[in-house]
Amino acid sequence: HGGREGVGLSNTRARLAQLYGEAATVHTASAPSGRAGVALAFPYTTAGAAHEGAPANAIELAETI
């Protein structure tokens, strides 16, 4: 990521890193038109399908999304 980063985006990066480590990514982009985009990627586990190595709260998170 480059440029200025606000509190919300840096908090999001920190929370995803805490929950998923290197398995989560946040990519930002801006266009000359002034528009901005954000892409979040992180492991998704459906309720009841937790697997070894998943965060302890993976099922809880899946149910709240």
Side-chain angles (χ1 to χ4, degrees):
H1 67 284
R4 252 180 358 176
E5 184 171 292
V7 172
L9 189 54
S10 68
N11 284 347
T12 300
R13 283 183 196 281
R15 177 63 61 95
L16 288 173
Q18 179 183 29
L19 291 171
Y20 303 107
E22 293 181 15
T25 60
V26 178
H27 295 284
T28 59
S30 58
S33 66
R35 292 182 176 229
V38 177
L40 305 172
F42 52 92
Y44 176 78
T45 304
T46 59
H51 60 332
E52 187 175 326
N57 61 348
I59 292 174
E60 176 185 337
L61 291 172
E63 291 175 348
T64 61
I65 292 178

